[in-house]
Structures are given as C-alpha cells and as structure tokens.
Amino acid sequence: MKKKIAIQGVHGCFHEQAARLYYGDDIDVLECLNFEELFTGMNERNADAAVMAIENTVAGGLLPNYSLLHKYEKKIKGEVFLRIQQNLMALPGQRIEDLREVHSHYMAIAQTREFFKRYPHIRLIESEDTAKSAADIARFGQKQVGAIASVLAAELFRLEILEESIETHKQNFTRFLILDDQLTVAEQDIDKASVCFTIPHRTGRLAQILSVFSYYDLNLTKIQSLPIPGKEWQYFFYVDLKFEDYAHYREGMNAVQPLMEDLQIMGEYKSCH
C-alpha cells in the first residue's frame, strides 16, 4: 500500500516534488489548501505523513508554519532542500510569441518578472497555485495561455516547457520538513535538532544560552523569534542546531535547560546537508 503524504498545493506543485525527493515516486498525495490542513489531515488519519515548507533562501522563513509546529506538536523526522526552478510551459505547439497571458502564484510571478520584461505583450495573472495554473491549461485546452510551474507539473499535465529556469535568482532553495510519526531515526544518524523555548526577562539570558550552545559545539544554523499571543513582549525562540556527537548534544541540552522555559524538542533527525 502506497504511503499517503499531505502536501500544500495540488499535484505537480513543489511540495509534491519535495515529497518525491524524500520518499521516492511511489507515493499518493493528499492535496491541502493551506498548511494547517497538513496537520489536520494527519490527525484525522487521511494522510500518513506531511511535507511542509519552512524557509526559503530568497523569501526567508514561513513564520506561521513555526506556530503550527508548536501548536500541533508533530515531530520533525527529516528535511529536504529543493531548488525552486520556475519554468514557462504551455500546450504543445505553442510558442512564447503566441502567448497572451501567463498564470501562476504571485511568488512565482515575482521571481520571474525580469524574464518577462523581454515579452511586454504577455499579461501576468496571479493564481492560487503554480501547479493548478498548469493543470487548468491542460484541462480546458487553453491556447495562448502559459503557466509558470515545476518540471513535474509539465510532465503530469503533458505541457511543453517553452523556457526552463526563468527565475531571476538561480540560487533559490526551499527547505521542507518531513513530519512522519511512522519514521524512527537511528540515534547514530541524528546530527540535527529543532527546538523551541521561551526565556525569562533577565539581562543577558539569551546570550548565556548561546554561549552554552557554543561550549558544547552545537552549531546554531537557524534562530527565529515569534511573539506569544496574549503575552506582551514575550517570544518563542525556534532554533536549529547541528552537531557531530549526539551524546554531546544531549549533555548540552541538559546544561542549557535551566536557563530556558517551556522547552520543546520539535525534532531530532538527520540533516539533508
């Protein structure tokens, strides 16, 4: 029986591409309209696992998704880094000069505006999803209409790629988290952890915590703060740590815990890099 993975978006989107990169092609996907549905899909047993974007090298962190991780307490079991390659596609036989409109998600349009300056006759139209824009062209047989989407979308909907990699910034990567209760990560493979905590209002407390991380050779690769609803000027800190020795990491966490409040280990897993 195929594993069912919850993704944000529709078939052919970058979330599905990330899911296939981690699990392989032999999967089913549960299409979700928003990120919270990833978690409800798992809780209601409509999906075995979920793949969720958490940060992008161009756009930064997806802040609401950190809050969802804290709210639903699903453990991170892995990660995937996917290069976001935007491609211009249309029905077979179309040329760029034939296009009058190109549809895609606003972020994909923002990432490719420089390319379309060469084609001022093309009107760029925002849609809810990159892959859905491609699917609609195939479904309705839309001529003179293009979409900006992934290679996977072109393959699934049998569209022709008119121009590959039209994004302005080529070093554009998105990091996706693997949320899968059925996965067990062997201790010897664990070299990364994601943790969340708050700190009391004490001078230098965050600096003390960072010093302990440094002393135990815990490399801080990400720190993100978010306000706590209903508590003025108080914040959750989300931190990613990389390390070479799991036992040393556990010693470091035991040493630093008295300096923190509401510590939550959100996942211990094998890093992608």
Side-chain angles (χ1 to χ4, degrees), residues 5-262:
I5 312 299
I7 60 169
Q8 193 278 316
V10 304
H11 281 295
C13 67
F14 290 111
H15 270 78
E16 181 174 0
Q17 203 170 333
R20 289 177 178 230
L21 185 61
Y22 190 83
Y23 288 101
D25 292 332
D26 193 27
I27 58 171
D28 287 328
V29 296
L30 175 68
E31 299 172 329
C32 299
L33 296 176
N34 56 61
F35 285 108
E36 187 147 19
E37 286 187 13
L38 300 178
F39 294 90
T40 57
M42 287 186 288
N43 286 347
E44 294 170 4
R45 300 183 184 277
N46 294 321
D48 302 306
V51 173
M52 183 181 74
I54 195 67
E55 60 179 317
N56 176 266
T57 53
V58 175
L62 283 73
L63 301 187
N65 291 1
Y66 287 96
S67 297
L68 290 172
L69 281 170
H70 185 265
K71 175 181 177 182
Y72 286 96
E73 299 184 348
K74 288 289 183 183
K75 296 298 184 185
I76 302 165
K77 296 298 182 67
E79 64 180 4
V80 167
F81 286 83
L82 180 69
R83 184 184 163 216
I84 304 302
Q85 179 178 314
Q86 305 288 5
N87 307 280
L88 177 61
M89 59 195 67
L91 289 173
Q94 302 278 290
R95 301 175 305 153
I96 295 180
E97 290 74 19
D98 298 327
L99 302 182
R100 294 292 172 262
E101 297 178 357
V102 168
H103 298 231
S104 198
H105 188 269
Y106 80 92
M107 187 64 74
I109 289 175
Q111 292 173 353
T112 57
R113 283 193 185 277
E114 198 66 31
F115 171 83
F116 285 103
K117 286 181 180 179
R118 291 182 254 163
Y119 304 97
H121 69 283
I122 295 178
R123 183 181 172 210
L124 300 175
I125 299 176
E126 293 182 5
S127 68
E128 58 190 290
D129 187 79
T130 55
K132 186 177 184 303
S133 300
D136 286 346
I137 290 175
R139 180 183 177 190
F140 300 112
Q142 296 173 323
K143 293 185 178 181
Q144 298 185 317
V145 178
I148 307 165
S150 68
V151 171
L152 178 61
E155 293 173 356
L156 288 175
F157 306 120
R158 298 181 180 178
L159 299 181
E160 187 175 315
I161 294 180
L162 305 182
E163 192 80 35
E164 293 183 345
S165 191
I166 63 173
E167 69 279 358
T168 303
H169 300 287
K170 304 303 180 185
Q171 294 303 309
N172 180 8
F173 290 82
T174 294
R175 176 181 172 227
F176 295 83
L177 300 179
I178 308 301
L179 309 173
D180 189 338
D181 290 339
Q182 297 175 4
L183 284 181
T184 300
V185 185
E187 185 176 305
Q188 65 267 24
D189 292 333
I190 297 173
D191 63 358
K192 192 169 185 179
S194 296
V195 304
C196 172
F197 57 89
T198 62
I199 57 176
H201 282 296
R202 301 238 173 91
T203 302
R205 179 54 57 91
L206 182 58
Q208 290 177 317
I209 290 170
L210 298 182
S211 294
V212 174
F213 286 156
S214 177
Y215 179 81
Y216 283 90
D217 297 320
L218 306 180
N219 182 23
L220 192 149
T221 61
K222 173 77 175 179
I223 183 167
Q224 184 75 57
S225 64
L226 281 181
I228 303 174
K231 296 185 178 181
E232 295 181 1
W233 315 121
Q234 293 191 41
Y235 298 86
F236 280 118
F237 290 90
Y238 297 85
V239 170
D240 289 334
L241 300 165
K242 281 196 71 175
F243 43 86
E244 295 182 359
D245 186 288
Y246 181 78
H248 207 45
Y249 149 75
R250 291 305 312 174
E251 290 174 7
M253 292 307 299
N254 289 334
V256 80
Q257 188 168 348
L259 301 173
M260 302 172 169
E261 294 178 352
D262 303 318

